[in-house]
Each structure stands twice: as structure tokens, then as C-alpha cells.
Amino acid sequence: MADDDQAKKPGFRFSLKWEWALSTAFGVLVIFAVIVLLIFNSFMTVLMRQEKTHVADTMNVVVEKLNTQKQPLTGAQVNQLLRPRTVLSETKKPTGPYNNAVLTSLARDSQTVTVYDQKGHPLFATRQSPLAFQKSKKQRISTRKINGRKNLVGIAPIRAKQGDTILGYVQVTDNLRDYRATQVKLLQIDLVLGMMAVLAAAVLSYSLATFLLRPVEAIRDTIHAMREDPKTDRRVPEMHHQDELSDLGGLFNDMLDTTQRYMDQQQQFVEDVSHELRTPVAIIQGHMEMLDRWGKDDPEVLNESIKASLQETKRMKSLVQEMLDLQRAEQIEVNYPNEVSDVSEVVEQVFDNFKMIHPDYVFILDNDVQRPVQAQIYRNHLEQILIILMDNAVKYSQSRKEVHMSYESDSRSLEVAVQDFGEGISQENRDRVFNRFYRVDKARSRTKGGNGLGLAIAKRLIEAYHGRITIESALGQGSVFRISLPILSDKDAQLLTEKKEQAQAANDVPGIKSELLADTSMTDQPTDETPKS
């Protein structure tokens, strides 16, 4: 058992908040890296273009200085033009090529300028050139690696202004030191900014996840509370913001309420069965023990015991059926979601049936509708509700055998009322007649049959279809039970009918059969035991 518990324990895992924070941080890192890479490449392209411009400018400066010659270049000429002797001006300040605006490019630390004659022999160099000379008839700038590092190399011919004769060549090598230094600094800055962005995104996303996932934590806590105590009334707190999580919390609460209701129904069912079956089982057991001891030899006692046992057996059968009906009435929305019935037709059918089976009673129907009216209710359930009310009216109208039934409707709802002329019900008992197994006068009720579940079943059925049932009664004058249901428009009725047909086609079910009236007949319906006369 311990091994099983160990096997069920989850391993190391991240919470949803951390998963959210890390995934957001990673996403920010990827987006930031892409943007930085694009900006970095653009910036470095601009820098490389500037370096090439510097190389071109240096070559142009040298060419402009040396193309004034008419003869091929010599070392003395080039040194004189590019490195003149320093002289003192009137201000006693030295002047020379490196304070001349045109020749300042020769002083760049990152560049090496070399001048060659027509045959490629070096005539002048600002510093030792790391590259071998390659002739070129056109000015060109290329990228070459020197000692494993990228360098810019520019080569241009020096042509005389007159005759376009090639006097020599100039080669400028740029080691891109400033370019690489800027590149390293940018990479460092991008790295620091990236780490700051990732950290800020992680903190912000974790805080946001903590805030947004509070409903999930509330649902988790509620589940733990339900696991520890299945009967707890704890629910997910109401959320002020309207989003998917608030919808989830509401649906979860509805599911818990439904589950709790089913658990209460099951417990109530067990308690009712144990309570109501205790007496008939005890009676049958008493008769069987009496017969076993001495009654089996006495025909009179034997006959009496058998009749009493059969009577209690029938009552138990009726009780179990009524309790099952009551239990099923709690699940109407699941089993009968798309039922549509013509209420006018059912009312007239039940009225005509009771006139036929109770000829000694006077039945009066006051029908103010005179047109088909449809409601969202299973036909057999509506019929059962009306039978319960009519049967009670007949059962408790002994002095004045008369029952009135009225049927009326307005634009939104319909109402059916059943009136008897019995003794009526007191105010204190009127509020409890719909409770299961409740009887005002248990002694008189037992003689009329039934188990006190009829009105409880009617109330559960009518409320399951979003209707209501009320009672008006006065002692000595009788009672009136009224049921009301919302009316369906023709369009809504057609839509529900189509849904029902689609569901039947999908499940390959030819039709829905009555579950509540499977073992009952017209004259053997569950009835209420409240005495009225």
C-alpha cells in the first residue's frame, strides 16, 4: 500500500505560474533577440559602410596629391608630397601634413597607407603593410582576412591628370579596430538589456499569472475542501471580473451544487426507504413468525396472515415505485431536455378519463383557451401531474362529490387549476403538504391508500420544467391546486422538436418511453395523503 501511495505521488513539477513566467520570459527573449539582431546587423552595416568610406576617402586624398606628377613616381617625390618637412610659422607653431585637413586621414591609427610605383615596388608607407601588393586598374575595396581577422583593403591606380598614364598605385589597409570595438560594446549592451528584459518579463508575467490564476487556486482549494468533506458548503468565491475563468468558476459551482443535490437525494432516498419499509417488513416478519410457531395449522390465522402480507407487499411495491418516480423527477433536465407537449390535448384527455372512471362524481371543465398551447414538458409527466391532482381531489371529496378543473393562458404562461370541495387544509399544514411522506391525519390517510408522495412528485416534476405549483385552501370549503408553465412559441417548439429528432437519430432510439409510468395505470397513480374532507 505504501508503494502504491509512493507511485501515485507526482514527481517534481513547475507550477502553472512558473510555467507561465518562464514561457513568457523565453518568448520575450526570442522576440528581443530577433529585434536586437536586426538592429545590430543594420547598425554594423552602417558602420562597415562608414569604414569603406574612410578607406575610399584616404585613397582619394593620396591620389589627388600624387596625380599632379608627369613622370612615374619616385620615393623622394612621394615622401616630399606626403611627408613635407616641418616648418615654423609666424605663430611659432609647427605645421605639417598631420595638421592639414586634407591629409588628416593619413594619421588614422587603424589604417596603413602604402604607395607603389608602376612595377609594384613600395615607395611610401605610413607603417609596415601586412599584405602583399596586387595591381588593379580600377579602384576597388574588398574584405580580406589577416591573421584570422577581417580587414578592409582598398587599391587604386594613380593616374596623371594629363595623358591618363598610371604613375603608381596606392593601397590602404584598415584593420577595423574601431569597428570591432564598437561591435563588442554593442554586444555587451544588447546582452545586458536582454537580461534586464527577460528578468522584467519574468517578474511581470509571474505577478500577472499570480493575479489571473487566483480563480484556479480558488477552484483547487474548493476541490480539496470537497475531498476532505464531501458535504461541505464551500464554493468558489464570486469573481468580479467577467472572463473565461469566472465562467469556469460559475460552472464548477453549478456542478458542485448538482453533485451535492444528487448526494442529498441519494441520502434522502436511503433514509426514506429505510423508514417507510421498516413497518411493512416488520408486519410481514411478524405474520411469518406467527405462522411458523403455530398459525400454519390454523386455516383462519393462515388466511389472515397471507392477506395481510400480500397487502403490505403491494404497498411496498407502490412505495418503491413512487420513490423511484420522485428520484427520477430530480433529473428531468438531463433525461428530457427537448420535450414538447400540447397542453390543451392532455388536459382534455385527463378530464375525459376521470369522467369515465368516476361516474358517481360531477366533473366540470372551464376551458378559456380553446386553442392548442404548447409547453416544454414531457407529455407523460404532465399527464401524471394532472392525474395526481385529480385523484387527490376525488379521494378527498367524499361529502360533495364534485371536482372543478379550469384551464386558461395569457401571452407567456398557461395555468391549470383543480378544485375540490372537501374540508380544506389549515395554514400550518398548507406549507408542508408538498413534503414527501407528509400526512396531516395519518390514521385517515392510511385508509385511503397511497404513501404521501403524490404531491411531492408533482411539485418536483413541475419545478423541473421551470413551472410552479401553488395551493389555496380554506377549512370547511375545500382546496384549489394551481400549476403554471411557460408557453412555447411555434418557433421554439419546432426547434426543440428538431433537436429531439436529431438526438434520437444519433442514438438510434425510436422514441422516448415513459419511465415514471412504467408500472402504474390510470387508477393506480401516486397520490397525496392530505385529507380534505
Side-chain angles (χ1 to χ4, degrees), residues 349-387:
Q349 176 185 335
V350 173
F351 179 80
D352 293 339
N353 289 342
F354 267 84
K355 283 182 61 178
M356 178 185 64
I357 63 178
H358 295 287
D360 54 333
Y361 278 75
V362 176
F363 292 93
I364 299 175
L365 175 61
D366 184 10
N367 189 346
D368 294 335
V369 180
Q370 303 299 333
R371 63 182 178 86
V373 176
Q374 299 184 98
Q376 186 177 0
I377 185 172
Y378 183 36
R379 178 188 176 91
N380 287 5
H381 291 167
L382 177 59
E383 183 178 346
Q384 183 177 14
I385 294 170
L386 296 178
I387 289 174

Short mmCIF file of all heavy atoms in Angstrom, two decimals, residues 349-387:
data_model
loop_
_atom_site.label_atom_id
_atom_site.label_comp_id
_atom_site.label_asym_id
_atom_site.label_seq_id
_atom_site.Cartn_x
_atom_site.Cartn_y
_atom_site.Cartn_z
N GLN A 349 -57.79 15.16 -22.25
CA GLN A 349 -57.72 13.70 -22.13
C GLN A 349 -57.86 13.26 -20.68
O GLN A 349 -58.63 12.34 -20.38
CB GLN A 349 -56.39 13.21 -22.71
CG GLN A 349 -56.18 11.71 -22.54
CD GLN A 349 -54.80 11.26 -23.01
OE1 GLN A 349 -54.20 11.90 -23.85
NE2 GLN A 349 -54.32 10.15 -22.47
N VAL A 350 -57.13 13.89 -19.76
CA VAL A 350 -57.22 13.51 -18.35
C VAL A 350 -58.62 13.78 -17.81
O VAL A 350 -59.19 12.96 -17.06
CB VAL A 350 -56.16 14.29 -17.53
CG1 VAL A 350 -56.36 14.05 -16.03
CG2 VAL A 350 -54.76 13.86 -17.94
N PHE A 351 -59.21 14.90 -18.19
CA PHE A 351 -60.56 15.22 -17.74
C PHE A 351 -61.55 14.16 -18.20
O PHE A 351 -62.38 13.66 -17.41
CB PHE A 351 -60.95 16.61 -18.26
CG PHE A 351 -62.33 17.03 -17.87
CD1 PHE A 351 -62.58 17.54 -16.60
CD2 PHE A 351 -63.39 16.91 -18.77
CE1 PHE A 351 -63.87 17.92 -16.24
CE2 PHE A 351 -64.67 17.29 -18.41
CZ PHE A 351 -64.91 17.80 -17.13
N ASP A 352 -61.51 13.79 -19.49
CA ASP A 352 -62.44 12.77 -20.02
C ASP A 352 -62.21 11.42 -19.35
O ASP A 352 -63.18 10.69 -19.08
CB ASP A 352 -62.25 12.65 -21.53
CG ASP A 352 -62.68 13.90 -22.27
OD1 ASP A 352 -63.47 14.68 -21.70
OD2 ASP A 352 -62.22 14.11 -23.42
N ASN A 353 -60.98 11.06 -19.07
CA ASN A 353 -60.70 9.76 -18.43
C ASN A 353 -61.29 9.71 -17.02
O ASN A 353 -61.85 8.68 -16.60
CB ASN A 353 -59.21 9.51 -18.37
CG ASN A 353 -58.62 9.21 -19.74
OD1 ASN A 353 -59.34 8.86 -20.68
ND2 ASN A 353 -57.30 9.35 -19.86
N PHE A 354 -61.16 10.78 -16.27
CA PHE A 354 -61.70 10.77 -14.90
C PHE A 354 -63.23 10.77 -14.92
O PHE A 354 -63.87 10.21 -14.02
CB PHE A 354 -61.16 11.96 -14.10
CG PHE A 354 -59.92 11.63 -13.33
CD1 PHE A 354 -58.68 11.67 -13.93
CD2 PHE A 354 -60.00 11.23 -12.00
CE1 PHE A 354 -57.53 11.35 -13.23
CE2 PHE A 354 -58.85 10.91 -11.29
CZ PHE A 354 -57.62 10.97 -11.90
N LYS A 355 -63.84 11.42 -15.90
CA LYS A 355 -65.30 11.35 -16.02
C LYS A 355 -65.75 9.92 -16.27
O LYS A 355 -66.79 9.49 -15.77
CB LYS A 355 -65.76 12.25 -17.17
CG LYS A 355 -65.76 13.73 -16.84
CD LYS A 355 -66.26 14.55 -18.01
CE LYS A 355 -67.68 14.20 -18.38
NZ LYS A 355 -68.21 15.01 -19.50
N MET A 356 -64.91 9.19 -17.03
CA MET A 356 -65.29 7.82 -17.38
C MET A 356 -65.12 6.86 -16.20
O MET A 356 -66.01 6.03 -15.93
CB MET A 356 -64.45 7.34 -18.56
CG MET A 356 -64.74 5.92 -18.99
SD MET A 356 -63.62 5.37 -20.30
CE MET A 356 -62.04 5.43 -19.46
N ILE A 357 -64.03 6.99 -15.45
CA ILE A 357 -63.77 6.00 -14.39
C ILE A 357 -64.42 6.38 -13.06
O ILE A 357 -64.47 5.55 -12.14
CB ILE A 357 -62.26 5.83 -14.19
CG1 ILE A 357 -61.62 7.13 -13.71
CG2 ILE A 357 -61.61 5.34 -15.46
CD1 ILE A 357 -60.13 7.00 -13.44
N HIS A 358 -64.96 7.59 -12.94
CA HIS A 358 -65.68 8.00 -11.72
C HIS A 358 -67.04 8.56 -12.11
O HIS A 358 -67.28 9.78 -12.01
CB HIS A 358 -64.86 9.06 -10.95
CG HIS A 358 -63.56 8.56 -10.42
ND1 HIS A 358 -63.47 7.69 -9.34
CD2 HIS A 358 -62.28 8.80 -10.83
CE1 HIS A 358 -62.20 7.43 -9.10
NE2 HIS A 358 -61.46 8.08 -9.99
N PRO A 359 -67.94 7.71 -12.53
CA PRO A 359 -69.25 8.21 -12.98
C PRO A 359 -70.10 8.78 -11.85
O PRO A 359 -71.05 9.53 -12.12
CB PRO A 359 -69.89 6.95 -13.59
CG PRO A 359 -69.22 5.80 -12.91
CD PRO A 359 -67.81 6.24 -12.64
N ASP A 360 -69.80 8.45 -10.61
CA ASP A 360 -70.58 8.96 -9.49
C ASP A 360 -70.16 10.37 -9.07
O ASP A 360 -70.74 10.93 -8.13
CB ASP A 360 -70.46 8.02 -8.30
CG ASP A 360 -69.03 7.74 -7.92
OD1 ASP A 360 -68.14 7.82 -8.81
OD2 ASP A 360 -68.76 7.45 -6.72
N TYR A 361 -69.15 10.95 -9.74
CA TYR A 361 -68.67 12.30 -9.42
C TYR A 361 -69.12 13.26 -10.53
O TYR A 361 -69.33 12.86 -11.68
CB TYR A 361 -67.16 12.34 -9.31
CG TYR A 361 -66.62 11.89 -7.97
CD1 TYR A 361 -66.59 10.54 -7.62
CD2 TYR A 361 -66.13 12.82 -7.05
CE1 TYR A 361 -66.10 10.13 -6.39
CE2 TYR A 361 -65.63 12.41 -5.81
CZ TYR A 361 -65.63 11.07 -5.49
OH TYR A 361 -65.14 10.67 -4.27
N VAL A 362 -69.21 14.53 -10.15
CA VAL A 362 -69.52 15.58 -11.12
C VAL A 362 -68.22 16.30 -11.46
O VAL A 362 -67.56 16.85 -10.57
CB VAL A 362 -70.55 16.58 -10.54
CG1 VAL A 362 -70.78 17.73 -11.54
CG2 VAL A 362 -71.86 15.88 -10.22
N PHE A 363 -67.85 16.27 -12.73
CA PHE A 363 -66.63 16.93 -13.20
C PHE A 363 -67.01 18.09 -14.11
O PHE A 363 -67.82 17.92 -15.04
CB PHE A 363 -65.72 15.96 -13.96
CG PHE A 363 -65.13 14.88 -13.09
CD1 PHE A 363 -65.77 13.64 -12.96
CD2 PHE A 363 -63.96 15.09 -12.39
CE1 PHE A 363 -65.23 12.65 -12.16
CE2 PHE A 363 -63.41 14.10 -11.59
CZ PHE A 363 -64.06 12.88 -11.47
N ILE A 364 -66.42 19.24 -13.85
CA ILE A 364 -66.69 20.44 -14.64
C ILE A 364 -65.36 20.99 -15.15
O ILE A 364 -64.44 21.22 -14.36
CB ILE A 364 -67.42 21.51 -13.81
CG1 ILE A 364 -68.77 20.96 -13.31
CG2 ILE A 364 -67.61 22.79 -14.62
CD1 ILE A 364 -69.50 21.92 -12.39
N LEU A 365 -65.28 21.21 -16.47
CA LEU A 365 -64.08 21.77 -17.09
C LEU A 365 -64.38 23.17 -17.60
O LEU A 365 -65.28 23.37 -18.43
CB LEU A 365 -63.60 20.89 -18.25
CG LEU A 365 -62.42 21.44 -19.05
CD1 LEU A 365 -61.18 21.61 -18.18
CD2 LEU A 365 -62.09 20.53 -20.24
N ASP A 366 -63.64 24.14 -17.12
CA ASP A 366 -63.76 25.53 -17.57
C ASP A 366 -62.55 25.84 -18.45
O ASP A 366 -61.48 26.17 -17.96
CB ASP A 366 -63.82 26.46 -16.36
CG ASP A 366 -64.05 27.92 -16.78
OD1 ASP A 366 -64.34 28.15 -17.96
OD2 ASP A 366 -63.91 28.80 -15.90
N ASN A 367 -62.72 25.71 -19.76
CA ASN A 367 -61.63 25.89 -20.71
C ASN A 367 -61.77 27.25 -21.39
O ASN A 367 -62.65 27.46 -22.22
CB ASN A 367 -61.66 24.77 -21.76
CG ASN A 367 -60.42 24.78 -22.64
OD1 ASN A 367 -59.67 25.75 -22.67
ND2 ASN A 367 -60.22 23.69 -23.37
N ASP A 368 -60.87 28.18 -21.03
CA ASP A 368 -60.89 29.51 -21.63
C ASP A 368 -59.86 29.67 -22.74
O ASP A 368 -59.66 30.78 -23.25
CB ASP A 368 -60.59 30.58 -20.54
CG ASP A 368 -61.70 30.63 -19.50
OD1 ASP A 368 -62.84 30.26 -19.83
OD2 ASP A 368 -61.41 31.04 -18.35
N VAL A 369 -59.19 28.60 -23.12
CA VAL A 369 -58.13 28.70 -24.12
C VAL A 369 -58.67 28.42 -25.51
O VAL A 369 -58.52 29.24 -26.44
CB VAL A 369 -56.96 27.75 -23.78
CG1 VAL A 369 -55.86 27.88 -24.82
CG2 VAL A 369 -56.42 28.07 -22.39
N GLN A 370 -59.28 27.26 -25.70
CA GLN A 370 -59.91 26.87 -26.96
C GLN A 370 -58.95 26.92 -28.15
O GLN A 370 -59.34 27.21 -29.27
CB GLN A 370 -61.12 27.79 -27.25
CG GLN A 370 -62.17 27.81 -26.17
CD GLN A 370 -62.80 26.45 -25.90
OE1 GLN A 370 -62.85 25.59 -26.79
NE2 GLN A 370 -63.25 26.23 -24.68
N ARG A 371 -57.68 26.66 -27.90
CA ARG A 371 -56.69 26.60 -28.97
C ARG A 371 -55.51 25.77 -28.49
O ARG A 371 -55.27 25.66 -27.28
CB ARG A 371 -56.22 27.99 -29.39
CG ARG A 371 -55.50 28.74 -28.28
CD ARG A 371 -55.08 30.14 -28.72
NE ARG A 371 -54.43 30.87 -27.63
CZ ARG A 371 -53.14 30.79 -27.35
NH1 ARG A 371 -52.35 30.01 -28.07
NH2 ARG A 371 -52.63 31.51 -26.36
N PRO A 372 -54.75 25.19 -29.39
CA PRO A 372 -53.58 24.40 -28.98
C PRO A 372 -52.52 25.29 -28.34
O PRO A 372 -52.16 26.33 -28.89
CB PRO A 372 -53.08 23.78 -30.29
CG PRO A 372 -54.24 23.86 -31.23
CD PRO A 372 -55.00 25.09 -30.85
N VAL A 373 -52.04 24.89 -27.18
CA VAL A 373 -50.97 25.60 -26.48
C VAL A 373 -49.87 24.59 -26.16
O VAL A 373 -50.15 23.54 -25.59
CB VAL A 373 -51.47 26.28 -25.19
CG1 VAL A 373 -50.31 26.93 -24.45
CG2 VAL A 373 -52.54 27.30 -25.51
N GLN A 374 -48.63 24.94 -26.51
CA GLN A 374 -47.51 24.02 -26.32
C GLN A 374 -46.60 24.50 -25.19
O GLN A 374 -46.41 25.71 -25.01
CB GLN A 374 -46.70 23.88 -27.61
CG GLN A 374 -47.51 23.32 -28.78
CD GLN A 374 -46.66 23.11 -30.01
OE1 GLN A 374 -46.21 22.00 -30.29
NE2 GLN A 374 -46.45 24.17 -30.76
N ALA A 375 -46.05 23.53 -24.46
CA ALA A 375 -45.12 23.83 -23.37
C ALA A 375 -43.97 22.82 -23.42
O ALA A 375 -44.11 21.72 -23.96
CB ALA A 375 -45.81 23.76 -22.01
N GLN A 376 -42.84 23.20 -22.85
CA GLN A 376 -41.67 22.33 -22.82
C GLN A 376 -41.77 21.38 -21.64
O GLN A 376 -41.27 21.63 -20.55
CB GLN A 376 -40.38 23.13 -22.73
CG GLN A 376 -39.12 22.28 -22.85
CD GLN A 376 -37.86 23.12 -22.83
OE1 GLN A 376 -37.92 24.33 -22.75
NE2 GLN A 376 -36.72 22.47 -22.92
N ILE A 377 -42.47 20.27 -21.86
CA ILE A 377 -42.66 19.27 -20.82
C ILE A 377 -42.98 17.94 -21.49
O ILE A 377 -43.62 17.89 -22.56
CB ILE A 377 -43.80 19.69 -19.85
CG1 ILE A 377 -43.92 18.68 -18.69
CG2 ILE A 377 -45.12 19.84 -20.58
CD1 ILE A 377 -44.87 19.13 -17.60
N TYR A 378 -42.49 16.87 -20.90
CA TYR A 378 -42.77 15.52 -21.42
C TYR A 378 -44.25 15.20 -21.18
O TYR A 378 -44.77 15.40 -20.09
CB TYR A 378 -41.86 14.53 -20.71
CG TYR A 378 -41.97 13.11 -21.18
CD1 TYR A 378 -42.19 12.79 -22.51
CD2 TYR A 378 -41.84 12.06 -20.27
CE1 TYR A 378 -42.27 11.49 -22.94
CE2 TYR A 378 -41.91 10.75 -20.68
CZ TYR A 378 -42.13 10.45 -22.02
OH TYR A 378 -42.22 9.16 -22.43
N ARG A 379 -44.92 14.72 -22.21
CA ARG A 379 -46.37 14.52 -22.14
C ARG A 379 -46.78 13.64 -20.96
O ARG A 379 -47.72 13.95 -20.23
CB ARG A 379 -46.87 13.91 -23.45
CG ARG A 379 -48.36 13.63 -23.46
CD ARG A 379 -48.79 12.87 -24.70
NE ARG A 379 -50.19 12.53 -24.65
CZ ARG A 379 -51.17 13.27 -25.13
NH1 ARG A 379 -50.87 14.42 -25.74
NH2 ARG A 379 -52.43 12.91 -25.04
N ASN A 380 -46.08 12.51 -20.77
CA ASN A 380 -46.44 11.61 -19.67
C ASN A 380 -46.26 12.26 -18.30
O ASN A 380 -46.98 11.96 -17.36
CB ASN A 380 -45.61 10.33 -19.76
CG ASN A 380 -46.06 9.44 -20.91
OD1 ASN A 380 -46.93 9.82 -21.68
ND2 ASN A 380 -45.47 8.26 -21.01
N HIS A 381 -45.27 13.16 -18.20
CA HIS A 381 -45.08 13.86 -16.93
C HIS A 381 -46.22 14.82 -16.65
O HIS A 381 -46.72 14.90 -15.51
CB HIS A 381 -43.74 14.61 -16.95
CG HIS A 381 -42.55 13.70 -16.93
ND1 HIS A 381 -41.27 14.14 -17.21
CD2 HIS A 381 -42.45 12.37 -16.68
CE1 HIS A 381 -40.45 13.13 -17.13
NE2 HIS A 381 -41.12 12.04 -16.81
N LEU A 382 -46.64 15.57 -17.67
CA LEU A 382 -47.78 16.47 -17.49
C LEU A 382 -49.04 15.68 -17.15
O LEU A 382 -49.83 16.07 -16.27
CB LEU A 382 -47.99 17.29 -18.76
CG LEU A 382 -49.19 18.24 -18.76
CD1 LEU A 382 -49.08 19.25 -17.63
CD2 LEU A 382 -49.33 18.94 -20.11
N GLU A 383 -49.23 14.56 -17.83
CA GLU A 383 -50.38 13.72 -17.54
C GLU A 383 -50.33 13.19 -16.11
O GLU A 383 -51.36 13.17 -15.41
CB GLU A 383 -50.42 12.55 -18.54
CG GLU A 383 -51.62 11.65 -18.39
CD GLU A 383 -51.62 10.55 -19.44
OE1 GLU A 383 -50.86 10.65 -20.41
OE2 GLU A 383 -52.40 9.58 -19.28
N GLN A 384 -49.13 12.80 -15.66
CA GLN A 384 -49.01 12.29 -14.30
C GLN A 384 -49.32 13.38 -13.27
O GLN A 384 -49.98 13.12 -12.26
CB GLN A 384 -47.60 11.75 -14.06
CG GLN A 384 -47.42 11.12 -12.68
CD GLN A 384 -46.05 10.52 -12.51
OE1 GLN A 384 -45.16 10.78 -13.31
NE2 GLN A 384 -45.88 9.73 -11.47
N ILE A 385 -48.87 14.61 -13.51
CA ILE A 385 -49.15 15.71 -12.58
C ILE A 385 -50.65 15.94 -12.47
O ILE A 385 -51.20 16.06 -11.35
CB ILE A 385 -48.43 16.99 -13.05
CG1 ILE A 385 -46.91 16.82 -12.96
CG2 ILE A 385 -48.86 18.19 -12.21
CD1 ILE A 385 -46.14 17.93 -13.64
N LEU A 386 -51.33 15.99 -13.60
CA LEU A 386 -52.78 16.22 -13.58
C LEU A 386 -53.51 15.06 -12.93
O LEU A 386 -54.51 15.27 -12.20
CB LEU A 386 -53.28 16.44 -15.02
CG LEU A 386 -52.73 17.69 -15.73
CD1 LEU A 386 -53.28 17.75 -17.15
CD2 LEU A 386 -53.09 18.95 -14.96
N ILE A 387 -53.05 13.83 -13.16
CA ILE A 387 -53.69 12.67 -12.54
C ILE A 387 -53.53 12.72 -11.03
O ILE A 387 -54.47 12.40 -10.27
CB ILE A 387 -53.09 11.37 -13.12
CG1 ILE A 387 -53.55 11.19 -14.57
CG2 ILE A 387 -53.50 10.16 -12.28
CD1 ILE A 387 -52.91 10.01 -15.27
#
